[in-house]
Amino acid sequence: MGIKFDEKELKVLEISPAFRDAEIPVFDFPMSMKDEWIQMALKKKPVWMNTGVECFSFYPDIIPDNRARGFVNDGGVRLTDAEKGGKDMFGIEWVYVPVAGGSMEKPGAPHPFDDANDWEDVIKWPDIDSWDWKGCAERNKKFLDNGKFNNMPLLNGFGFERLISFMGFENAAVALVDEEQEDALKALLNKLSDLYCDIIDRACDYFAIDGFLVHDDWGGQRSPFFSFDAGEDFLVPNMKKVTDRIHSHGKVAELHSCGCNEKQIENFIAGGWDIWGPMANINDTKKLFHEYGDRIILGVEPYNYDKENATEEDIRQSARDFVNEFCSDPNKVCIVNRYFSPYLQGIYAEELYKASRIMLQDR
């Protein structure tokens, strides 16, 4: 039996900004948001249906990729648009585009190589020991003492996205099917995974973080960029090396992979990820949960309700229906998909929390 629900928990302590400019309530939870997310992700024993308000993303300025992509919040200080962009850890130049809210590779800049067989001659590997880990840890000690689950995203791609920045998209795609590049490509991806493992080790030594959110987009609007077999052969073994390292520190391994990647989910599972939040507008998250929810935690999009015309009881029933369908199986765990954020407020948020607390307390 879990922690018994108390109506006093429905007190809203704050409103948290969320995806798509939404605002999600933070209730008077019976345990810290950090402990809940860890228990949900690693022990598969959630106390309530997690919405994402439990997490905080930490982007230290010592990792060049964060400034290049415009995602620095080191010590609570955010960059101005003029400060965003620049070179990533491999010297690739990025330009921040304010209207898009993100960065792109500098237009017209040549890629380091076109053929994977050439990478050893041109890639200059970052000296991560020269980064000021100690100084960064000192200025962020209070910043990370926030009661939330502190996630540290690793940007610019675990494997395929990084390869795009090295070679361009077309050459990266060709490298995955060109037998003459196979050995060199595998050696490159293996060395990349070693680098990420070293960064993970340093981050765990210096920062009060609880998990890593690793980025690598594998798909477009309609399908993956490459075959299941290519992902299994080139990327999964190195993914598993990285997730094993994350787990060796007792941390949570979450994958951010945009695109229509339903066909790659078995690879994500084999790669050792605890959580994947699919793009709900192009992946059937409910179907994925019912088929794979006992093997990986998925971001599932609830059934939308009519925000303009639904009655209070309609909204509450919609939340209860979601809980009944997605919290009843003790072998399966999910979180609310961020694409649902605009609906995750007011009456719905309250009923979702209450219904899930009551359902899960008896598991």
Side-chain angles (χ1 to χ4, degrees), residues 253-308:
E254 181 174 354
L255 176 67
H256 172 99
S257 189
C258 285
C260 183
N261 290 322
E262 294 181 14
K263 295 178 181 178
Q264 297 285 6
I265 191 170
E266 291 274 6
N267 277 333
F268 296 158
I269 293 169
W273 301 102
D274 299 307
I275 304 172
W276 172 44
M279 295 180 70
N281 58 340
I282 54 177
N283 294 281
D284 189 341
T285 61
K286 300 177 186 68
K287 178 183 177 181
L288 289 172
F289 171 82
H290 288 304
E291 293 185 9
Y292 300 100
D294 57 340
R295 301 169 63 192
I296 189 171
I297 297 169
L298 295 163
V300 176
E301 183 179 37
Y303 299 99
N304 291 343
Y305 58 89
D306 187 338
K307 294 173 68 175
E308 300 298 326

Side-chain angles (χ1 to χ4, degrees), residues 320-335:
R320 290 193 293 267
D321 289 344
F322 178 73
V323 168
N324 289 335
E325 182 174 353
F326 295 96
C327 291
S328 59
D329 188 338
N331 297 311
K332 295 180 179 179
V333 177
C334 70
I335 58 178

Side-chain angles (χ1 to χ4, degrees), residues 199-220:
I199 292 174
I200 288 163
D201 288 344
R202 302 299 193 284
C204 290
D205 287 342
Y206 284 95
F207 303 134
I209 55 174
D210 308 297
F212 294 85
L213 176 60
V214 182
H215 286 230
D216 207 34
D217 293 346
W218 280 23

Side-chain angles (χ1 to χ4, degrees), residues 135-152:
C136 187
E138 289 174 351
R139 67 176 174 266
N140 283 286
K141 185 175 182 179
K142 183 178 293 186
F143 183 57
L144 292 174
D145 185 17
N146 53 31
K148 291 195 172 188
F149 177 92
N150 290 319
N151 238 347
M152 192 173 116

Side-chain angles (χ1 to χ4, degrees), residues 161-318:
E161 278 190 74
R162 185 71 71 177
L163 196 61
I164 293 171
S165 69
F166 286 159
M167 307 177 69
F169 183 89
E170 294 84 356
N171 289 326
V174 168
L176 291 174
V177 296
D178 184 356
E179 292 182 0
E180 294 183 0
Q181 297 186 61
E182 179 175 348
D183 291 343
L185 180 56
K186 287 182 175 179
L188 171 58
L189 293 171
N190 182 61
K191 188 162 183 176
L192 276 172
S193 63
D194 286 339
L195 171 66
Y196 301 140
C197 286
D198 288 342
I199 292 174
I200 288 163
D201 288 344
R202 302 299 193 284
C204 290
D205 287 342
Y206 284 95
F207 303 134
I209 55 174
D210 308 297
F212 294 85
L213 176 60
V214 182
H215 286 230
D216 207 34
D217 293 346
W218 280 23
Q221 186 73 18
R222 297 183 178 180
S223 65
F225 292 136
F226 45 83
S227 70
F228 180 89
D229 290 345
E232 181 180 41
D233 191 24
F234 287 96
L235 297 167
V236 168
N238 294 300
M239 277 185 159
K240 190 62 166 59
K241 186 197 302 184
V242 170
T243 57
D244 282 349
R245 184 62 62 88
I246 292 171
H247 291 144
S248 74
H249 290 283
K251 312 299 183 183
V252 177
E254 181 174 354
L255 176 67
H256 172 99
S257 189
C258 285
C260 183
N261 290 322
E262 294 181 14
K263 295 178 181 178
Q264 297 285 6
I265 191 170
E266 291 274 6
N267 277 333
F268 296 158
I269 293 169
W273 301 102
D274 299 307
I275 304 172
W276 172 44
M279 295 180 70
N281 58 340
I282 54 177
N283 294 281
D284 189 341
T285 61
K286 300 177 186 68
K287 178 183 177 181
L288 289 172
F289 171 82
H290 288 304
E291 293 185 9
Y292 300 100
D294 57 340
R295 301 169 63 192
I296 189 171
I297 297 169
L298 295 163
V300 176
E301 183 179 37
Y303 299 99
N304 291 343
Y305 58 89
D306 187 338
K307 294 173 68 175
E308 300 298 326
N309 300 310
T311 65
E312 177 177 339
E313 180 52 32
D314 289 339
I315 296 172
R316 291 189 183 277
Q317 187 61 52
S318 180

Side-chain angles (χ1 to χ4, degrees), residues 26-197:
V26 176
F27 296 103
D28 192 3
F29 301 130
M31 62 193 294
S32 75
M33 290 182 275
K34 170 182 175 177
D35 290 343
E36 158 64 8
W37 194 271
I38 292 173
Q39 181 163 307
M40 177 275 300
L42 296 182
K43 298 180 181 179
K44 308 300 188 290
K45 294 290 185 182
V47 177
W48 63 84
M49 173 58 70
N50 291 261
T51 63
V53 297
E54 301 84 0
C55 294
F56 176 77
S57 294
F58 172 52
Y59 299 91
D61 202 13
I62 59 168
I63 299 180
D65 293 10
N66 292 336
R67 182 172 284 261
R69 299 297 297 273
F71 287 99
V72 169
N73 60 357
D74 199 309
V77 177
R78 296 184 180 274
L79 304 178
T80 65
D81 285 354
E83 294 173 314
K84 298 173 182 178
K87 294 183 178 180
D88 66 19
M89 70 172 79
F90 286 97
I92 307 297
E93 188 81 22
W94 294 77
V95 177
Y96 184 74
V97 183
V99 68
S103 298
M104 61 182 294
E105 293 174 52
K106 185 177 181 179
H111 291 103
F113 56 91
D114 298 325
D115 188 305
N117 290 293
D118 298 329
W119 72 263
E120 289 188 273
D121 297 326
V122 295
I123 293 296
K124 182 178 180 181
W125 293 85
D127 177 12
I128 68 171
D129 289 326
S130 68
W131 299 351
D132 184 16
W133 294 97
K134 183 177 180 181
C136 187
E138 289 174 351
R139 67 176 174 266
N140 283 286
K141 185 175 182 179
K142 183 178 293 186
F143 183 57
L144 292 174
D145 185 17
N146 53 31
K148 291 195 172 188
F149 177 92
N150 290 319
N151 238 347
M152 192 173 116
L154 297 179
L155 301 174
N156 282 9
F158 156 81
F160 187 65
E161 278 190 74
R162 185 71 71 177
L163 196 61
I164 293 171
S165 69
F166 286 159
M167 307 177 69
F169 183 89
E170 294 84 356
N171 289 326
V174 168
L176 291 174
V177 296
D178 184 356
E179 292 182 0
E180 294 183 0
Q181 297 186 61
E182 179 175 348
D183 291 343
L185 180 56
K186 287 182 175 179
L188 171 58
L189 293 171
N190 182 61
K191 188 162 183 176
L192 276 172
S193 63
D194 286 339
L195 171 66
Y196 301 140
C197 286

